[in-house]
Amino acid sequence: MNSENNNSSTPSNPSTPSNPADPHTEQIPAQPESPQHASTADFQQVRNPYAHPSTPSTPFAPETQSAAAAGASEQQWEGAVPGPVPVPGSVTGASEGVGSQQEHSTVTLLGPSEELNAAQQPAAPKKSRTVPLTGAIALALVAAIGSGTLTGVYASRNQEVTSTSAVLEQLRTPVSNEGATVAAAGSVEQVAAAVLPSVVSIQVSTRTGVSEGSGSIISSDGYVLTNNHVVSAAAEGASQVVVTLNDGRELLADFVAGDGNTDVAVIKIRDVADLPVMSFGDSSSLQVGQEVVAIGSPLGLSATVTSGIVSAMNRPVRAGGSNTGESTLIDAIQTDAAINPGNSGGPLVDMNGNLVGMNSVIASLSSGSDSSGSIGLGFAIPANFARRVADQLIATGQVTHPMLGVQLNPNSNVRGAMISEVTPGGPSEAAGLQAGDVVTRINDRSIDSTDALIAAVRSSEFGQTVTLVVEDANGGNSREVQVTLTGE
């Protein structure tokens, strides 16, 4: 067996005599290495490779052998080597010592078939294998490392199992509700909980297609406020109106009346009572920056809640009705709360859950309605205006608006609304207004276009007296005029 540093001489053939010129070489028959660890009985003789070859060897006495075997570990670490035993033996190689005194010592394992001289022959001939001391130490270290490695692998796997068990235990632990709190008053969560029961989804089916939108229940017996463009197809007959309540019930409804000029309509759910009702707020008290919540069924996704602020007030926007003419304008609330197709007719509420607007129009950068979506520019009909129109629709089926009694020139190049004609006997004639006058303000609101004046007048109350600031076509001769709007 070679020593650890691989410098041992190669065993020669047993039939070849040993080289007499080399006193450190002897003939040892090659034997297969045993995979088992050497026992103390295998350590028979310790030789000093530097003893003179002519010195006869003296085999250990049994007690010496036992002592050597028992002290093997001490010899490994302390370098304790028995005194020189002058016997010609092979130096299988200089081993790397662990201790300070064993750098050139070897340990010879004797077997039953070793061939020795008569003077060197022990009582019972045995084969021998030569293993350096460092080789024996290496075997011991390998055994120790092997044991430690097995222990380490076991510990690692044990830790992995423990870690996995801890994770599974954590995942299976019942959730805690300590963090759950009651929705704070005025929060979006609280507003949604209060308002959702009074919001419905609307679907109108005709022979040519289906239209969808949203609505607000405004009476316990089933009246619903919505946009005219959502339900106008039902006014033509041969249609079916289905309303889906927040609790999932689908109920039939009938078209009551609608106004294309203001885009306000009313339908009624059949055979219902004690429905939750939307409460109205005062839209005239809204302030820019005030928080609002939009609720509806965008793209058919019912009970969708979005939040934002009032971005602006008094935006003249065309909403429904014909595509031309002043009658299509509304005085809208602008909001950044996300509004998409399907939100039409749904409520815009304040943080008290009161209806302050009806979502109606969105601005879009897309020219195709199929791909349009919210870009943070949504518009709602003020609740005060929608409520007044709905009242007329339910009571009479028709809508009238406050009037100034003038015709306006939409093609003028002036900043403001230019009067092209004054209606004889109307409020404006009584106030002294003339053709060519340009209205630049109504009360505290600036007027920069024809649409702005129409929207402002329609948002006013019947019979209300308003203050107009009027100039001539050249921007001079500014004056204030008091005008009382027409009544119902």
Side-chain angles (χ1 to χ4, degrees):
M1 179 174 178
N2 295 335
S3 64
E4 186 174 305
N5 60 5
N6 297 323
N7 290 324
S8 61
S9 60
T10 304
S12 60
N13 192 301
S15 63
T16 304
S18 63
N19 185 3
D22 186 358
H24 298 288
T25 304
E26 64 178 343
Q27 302 302 317
I28 302 176
Q31 297 294 331
E33 297 182 0
S34 172
Q36 300 179 353
H37 293 292
S39 64
T40 56
D42 295 325
F43 291 85
Q44 301 295 326
Q45 184 175 8
V46 177
R47 298 174 180 173
N48 187 342
Y50 296 100
H52 193 277
S54 63
T55 304
S57 63
T58 303
F60 289 125
E63 61 273 11
T64 303
Q65 297 177 11
S66 300
S73 61
E74 295 181 2
Q75 293 172 16
Q76 293 173 8
W77 293 102
E78 299 176 3
V81 180
V85 182
V87 59
S90 63
V91 178
T92 58
S95 63
E96 297 180 0
V98 177
S100 61
Q101 301 178 7
Q102 62 179 20
E103 294 182 354
H104 302 286
S105 61
T106 58
V107 176
T108 302
L109 303 181
L110 300 179
S113 62
E114 181 179 9
E115 296 179 2
L116 299 175
N117 295 330
Q120 301 170 346
Q121 182 69 35
K126 297 182 180 180
K127 293 183 181 180
S128 68
R129 291 191 302 167
T130 301
V131 178
L133 179 60
T134 306
I137 296 173
L139 290 176
L141 290 176
V142 168
I145 292 172
S147 176
T149 302
L150 291 175
T151 303
V153 171
Y154 173 78
S156 176
R157 291 178 178 174
N158 187 49
Q159 290 174 1
E160 182 178 352
V161 171
T162 302
S163 176
T164 303
S165 299
V167 171
L168 293 177
E169 181 179 357
Q170 179 66 22
L171 291 174
R172 295 167 182 173
T173 301
V175 296
S176 172
N177 290 324
E178 293 180 1
T181 58
V182 178
S187 66
V188 175
E189 183 182 358
Q190 188 270 339
V191 171
V195 174
L196 278 171
S198 57
V199 181
V200 300
S201 299
I202 301 172
Q203 185 180 79
V204 179
S205 302
T206 65
R207 294 176 181 175
T208 58
V210 177
S211 62
E212 295 181 331
S214 307
S216 301
I217 301 174
I218 58 174
S219 70
S220 59
D221 58 348
Y223 281 95
V224 175
L225 177 67
T226 186
N227 281 142
N228 185 71
H229 73 263
V230 172
V231 296
S232 59
E236 302 173 0
S239 62
Q240 183 182 64
V241 181
V242 177
V243 171
T244 303
L245 303 182
N246 188 61
D247 59 11
R249 286 183 292 168
E250 294 184 352
L251 305 172
L252 294 177
D254 298 309
F255 179 82
V256 176
D259 180 36
N261 295 329
T262 59
D263 200 22
V264 177
V266 177
I267 61 175
K268 187 178 185 303
I269 304 173
R270 297 178 185 175
D271 306 322
V272 292
D274 299 325
L275 294 179
V277 177
M278 182 75 66
S279 59
F280 281 89
D282 183 5
S283 58
S284 65
S285 65
L286 286 176
Q287 301 295 321
V288 174
Q290 181 175 335
E291 291 183 280
V292 288
V293 175
I295 303 176
S297 304
L299 305 178
L301 303 174
S302 61
T304 296
V305 178
T306 59
S307 64
I309 62 170
V310 174
S311 302
M313 295 291 296
N314 306 321
R315 295 293 197 198
V317 177
R318 297 186 178 273
S322 61
N323 293 325
T324 60
E326 57 190 34
S327 61
T328 62
L329 297 176
I330 61 172
D331 202 23
I333 302 166
Q334 180 182 328
T335 179
D336 68 345
I339 297 174
N340 291 283
N343 272 115
S344 293
L348 183 71
V349 300
D350 60 21
M351 302 312 291
N352 293 318
N354 296 320
L355 180 70
V356 293
M358 180 169 64
N359 304 318
S360 300
V361 181
I362 61 172
S364 176
L365 298 178
S366 174
S367 59
S369 60
D370 292 340
S371 58
S372 63
S374 174
I375 58 172
L377 292 173
F379 302 94
I381 300 173
N384 291 359
F385 180 76
R387 184 178 186 181
R388 187 184 75 204
V389 173
D391 180 70
Q392 293 185 61
L393 291 174
I394 295 172
T396 66
Q398 297 180 354
V399 178
T400 58
H401 305 287
M403 302 291 293
L404 275 175
V406 296
Q407 297 292 324
L408 301 177
N409 181 5
N411 298 319
S412 63
N413 294 322
V414 299
R415 181 179 177 80
M418 177 177 283
I419 297 175
S420 61
E421 182 180 343
V422 176
T423 303
S428 292
E429 184 184 49
L433 293 176
Q434 300 175 2
D437 286 341
V438 178
V439 180
T440 60
R441 182 173 292 275
I442 179 171
N443 294 333
D444 60 351
R445 175 177 172 180
S446 177
I447 301 299
D448 59 2
S449 66
T450 299
D451 286 351
L453 180 58
I454 296 171
V457 171
R458 286 187 174 179
S459 295
S460 302
E461 298 295 331
F462 287 103
Q464 179 181 350
T465 298
V466 296
T467 300
L468 304 181
V469 176
V470 182
E471 301 174 351
D472 59 28
N474 297 321
N477 299 320
S478 177
R479 67 187 190 278
E480 290 187 356
V481 179
Q482 303 289 324
V483 179
T484 300
L485 303 179
T486 60
E488 292 185 74

